[in-house]
Amino acid sequence: MNSYASQFRAIVGEDFDPSRDLGAEQTRALSALIFGMPEMQITRDGFFIQYEGWSYDQDIYLSVTVTDDHKSGARALCEPNFALDQDIAAS
């Protein structure tokens, strides 16, 4: 079984720059990956949808913001849970 982190990297590429937008194919694949995670949340904000998923077994958090037609995506993240906890505590 591939980890969620390795599947994320397979979709976006090893040299992924989080500030770069994703194409339609990557957007759909990443949304589907997150949708299949054990814990997930979908948030709508105007023309955008944010998919967030967690796997406590793999200690990983994935997120992507996509246009409502799934033709592009932005702000894709792949973070260990503990890093998010540190970011939240520092806020």
Side-chain angles (χ1 to χ4, degrees), residues 17-32:
D17 177 358
S19 66
R20 184 176 56 88
D21 288 349
L22 302 171
E25 187 174 315
Q26 290 174 312
T27 297
R28 286 187 205 105
L30 194 51
S31 299

Side-chain angles (χ1 to χ4, degrees), residues 43-57:
T43 307
R44 288 190 173 268
D45 182 15
F47 294 107
F48 297 97
I49 305 169
Q50 182 176 16
Y51 292 90
E52 296 177 284
W54 297 264
S55 172
Y56 294 107
D57 290 344

Side-chain angles (χ1 to χ4, degrees), residues 48-89:
F48 297 97
I49 305 169
Q50 182 176 16
Y51 292 90
E52 296 177 284
W54 297 264
S55 172
Y56 294 107
D57 290 344
Q58 295 183 25
D59 195 30
I60 196 79
Y61 166 84
L62 302 180
S63 173
V64 67
T65 300
V66 302
T67 56
D68 61 1
D69 59 5
H70 285 71
K71 291 189 177 177
S72 67
R75 293 191 306 261
L77 298 173
C78 178
E79 298 285 346
N81 283 334
F82 67 84
L84 287 176
D85 293 342
Q86 290 172 359
D87 290 344
I88 292 167

